[in-house]
Structures are given as structure tokens and as C-alpha cells.
Amino acid sequence: AGPGSYTVGTMSERFDCHYCRDPLQGKKYVQKEGRHCCVKCFEKICANTCIECKKPIGADSKELHFKNRYWHDSCFRCFKCYTSLVNEPFMLRENNKVWCSNCTATEDAPRCKGCFKPIIAGDQNVEYKKMVWHKDCFTCSQCKQVIGSGSFFPKGDDFYCVSCHEHKFAKTCAKCKNPITSGGLTYQEQPWHSECFICSNCKKQLGGKRFTAVEDQFYCVECYKECVAKKCAGCKNPITGFGRGTSVVNYEDESWHDYCFKCTKCARGLANKRFVRHNGKIYCAECPKRL
């Protein structure tokens, strides 16, 4: 934009300066609002003041104006990068400072939480809960390696890669001693991977199933019956401790289900009762007298 509010020329007629009354004929003068004045009075009384350098914009200077604000053309520069904004797009910001479009975009851009520099269009970034980082600034709080767009675990104000989170926070499996990153189960207050808590014989996973522990070994019901459980001296079936007959009678290296421990002659149940063994058979206290 140009001045538009006054004209400058050399007076050919007989006029005096409107302010100091000096003759203007043959001299350079300024005409503003119908009044003729000398250059000195113009700069002292009529000239606009540059909003940047605070000096008057003389008749010989190029003037730029925007919204009742005036600049020397040499003062019309970006506040941030000092690039001339004559014939360039600009924005008038706080404190009447003009900014170029590039600096405006940078200033208004979100700030990286890692380096605190702006994240501008085209930058790869990571966002999490209204926070944003340059991709290369999003690093593990433990090993300082770049997480970027990979998996991570937040802990308060810190962020951990999968490996560091496993070693710092994950529970350790009681069998393989490796971290449990997901799932798992607990037995006797110890954590286990589901794939580590298995039957010692058939290797099937025991999570959510019935099992029996024998000397730090675990067995599913079927394998316990076949491989570990004692056989009842009465019915010859395994004594598992499951279901009917959970009580067991032991006598001289033999075992019975409680419901199988009965008199050979009268079939009376003898669990927790007096009995007699005769010729390898079990009798109640009365029946041997009748033999």
C-alpha cells in the first residue's frame, strides 16, 4: 500500500508553507488535505509515525499502511525472521508486530513434549492423551531408545518400551523365570505363564481345570488317576480324592476308598471303626467269631 493521503512535487506557483509561511516556489513541497507545506514542516507536523522504528515517515520514504498503522517499507519485516514482507503475505499479531506466514505457522504449531520445539506440517509425530512428540523424541524413559510408533507402556509421566517394562514391572513366572506380559495365572501366591502351568505327564495346560499337586509336580485328573494315584485294595480303582469317597483309609501299605473299606462278610462300613484282618481280608469285630 502507498501513502494515498498526500502528494509530493515541486512548486511552480507562488505559495507559502501553510505552517512556517516560507515561500515554496521552486522548492519541494507536500500537499495534504488541501494544504501545501514544506518538507521540513511535513515531517515535523504531518508525517505518519512508523509503528516499528517510531520515527516519522518522511516525504522521500516509501510508506506502507494497514489498518491505520504505518511502516517505512524498510521496517516492514517479519518480527521473527526479519524477512521483508513487502508484497508478501503477513499477519499482524500481538503488540502490532507483523509475522510472515511461515513464522506464524511455526509459532502456532503444537510443541513437542520432548524437545519443546514446534511440530510443523509434514513432521512425523506421536500423540497420546493430548500430548504430542516428534517421532524421534518419543523415547523410553529407561533405555532412552526411540519408541516412535511402536508399542509402549505409560507409568505416570514416564513411558517404557516393551522390553524395559517387562524387566522393570512385569511379574516373573515361577517356572521359566521370564516376565509375564499378559494373561497368566496365580497358584499359591506365585505367578505362572498359562503355557508353563501344565500337567507333568501329558503337558496339557491346567488353567481353569481340576488338577492335583504332588511334590511340586502338577497332574490333570486323568494323568493323576493313571500314573500317580494309589489303587483301592477293595475296588481296584484309583483313589483320586475327587468326588465320592474323598476320605481314604490306609492300613499296612494298602489303601481303600472309605466306602470300600467294609466287612468282607456283612459288608458293614468300617471307616473309623474297629476291624479285624484275617487271611488278608477285613472283617468287623463280630464276624470273625462266626467264621
Side-chain angles (χ1 to χ4, degrees):
S5 58
Y6 61 87
T7 58
V8 180
T10 300
M11 182 63 68
S12 60
E13 301 178 35
R14 183 176 179 80
F15 277 97
D16 295 336
C17 174
H18 176 76
Y19 298 101
C20 68
R21 313 311 296 177
D22 284 349
L24 296 175
Q25 189 172 17
K27 298 180 182 179
K28 193 173 183 178
Y29 76 100
V30 179
Q31 180 180 344
K32 184 175 183 181
E33 298 176 354
R35 296 172 180 174
H36 302 81
C37 62
C38 63
V39 172
K40 184 177 180 180
C41 287
F42 172 80
E43 293 182 354
K44 183 178 180 180
I45 301 171
C46 303
N48 294 312
T49 301
C50 175
I51 199 170
E52 183 62 28
C53 70
K54 311 304 181 185
K55 295 179 181 179
I57 303 173
D60 294 328
S61 300
K62 290 183 179 180
E63 178 185 275
L64 299 175
H65 66 87
F66 177 73
K67 291 185 177 180
N68 296 321
R69 295 171 177 84
Y70 301 87
W71 294 263
H72 294 101
D73 64 338
S74 59
C75 292
F76 197 62
R77 295 177 175 274
C78 175
F79 173 73
K80 193 76 174 177
C81 68
Y82 304 109
T83 300
S84 174
L85 295 177
V86 178
N87 298 322
E88 297 293 335
F90 67 92
M91 177 175 287
L92 187 66
R93 295 174 66 91
E94 60 274 5
N95 298 323
N96 292 319
K97 301 298 183 181
V98 285
W99 293 60
C100 68
S101 55
N102 288 336
C103 289
T104 298
T106 301
E107 184 71 12
D108 293 339
R111 296 277 171 171
C112 172
K113 188 171 173 59
C115 68
F116 305 106
K117 294 180 180 179
I119 298 175
I120 60 178
D123 287 347
Q124 290 185 312
N125 61 78
V126 177
E127 293 186 32
Y128 177 75
K129 288 189 174 179
K130 299 182 179 181
M131 296 181 289
V132 63
W133 294 258
H134 291 109
K135 185 178 179 180
D136 291 340
C137 292
F138 190 59
T139 59
C140 174
S141 299
Q142 183 78 11
C143 68
K144 308 305 179 184
Q145 296 297 309
V146 175
I147 298 174
S149 57
S151 298
F152 65 92
F153 293 87
K155 286 286 184 181
D157 293 331
D158 296 324
F159 299 89
Y160 296 89
C161 65
V162 173
S163 178
C164 288
H165 183 267
E166 287 179 356
H167 287 91
K168 190 174 180 66
F169 298 105
K171 294 180 179 179
T172 301
C173 176
K175 182 176 181 180
C176 71
K177 309 305 179 186
N178 290 321
I180 301 172
T181 58
S182 63
L185 52 86
T186 300
Y187 174 69
Q188 290 187 342
E189 298 183 354
Q190 288 186 312
W192 300 72
H193 289 114
S194 297
E195 59 271 22
C196 290
F197 196 71
I198 57 175
C199 175
S200 297
N201 185 58
C202 70
K203 309 306 180 185
K204 291 181 180 179
Q205 292 187 20
L206 298 176
K209 299 178 181 179
R210 298 170 68 190
F211 66 92
T212 297
V214 180
E215 296 180 354
D216 297 328
Q217 300 293 317
F218 305 106
Y219 297 91
C220 64
V221 174
E222 292 74 17
C223 289
Y224 179 75
K225 288 180 180 179
E226 294 296 324
C227 306
V228 182
K230 294 180 179 181
K231 301 301 187 289
C232 176
C235 69
K236 309 305 180 186
N237 291 321
I239 302 172
T240 63
F242 303 119
R244 183 185 174 208
T246 54
S247 297
V248 181
V249 177
N250 296 299
Y251 179 70
E252 293 184 354
D253 297 328
E254 289 186 299
S255 299
W256 291 259
H257 295 106
D258 61 349
Y259 56 83
C260 291
F261 194 65
K262 56 188 177 181
C263 179
T264 305
K265 186 173 180 62
C266 69
R268 180 190 303 172
L270 297 177
N272 298 317
K273 296 181 180 178
R274 295 178 59 191
F275 65 91
V276 176
R277 190 164 191 177
H278 180 68
N279 293 332
K281 296 182 180 181
I282 302 297
Y283 297 93
C284 65
E286 302 297 326
C287 284
K289 300 176 182 178
R290 303 189 185 101
L291 296 178

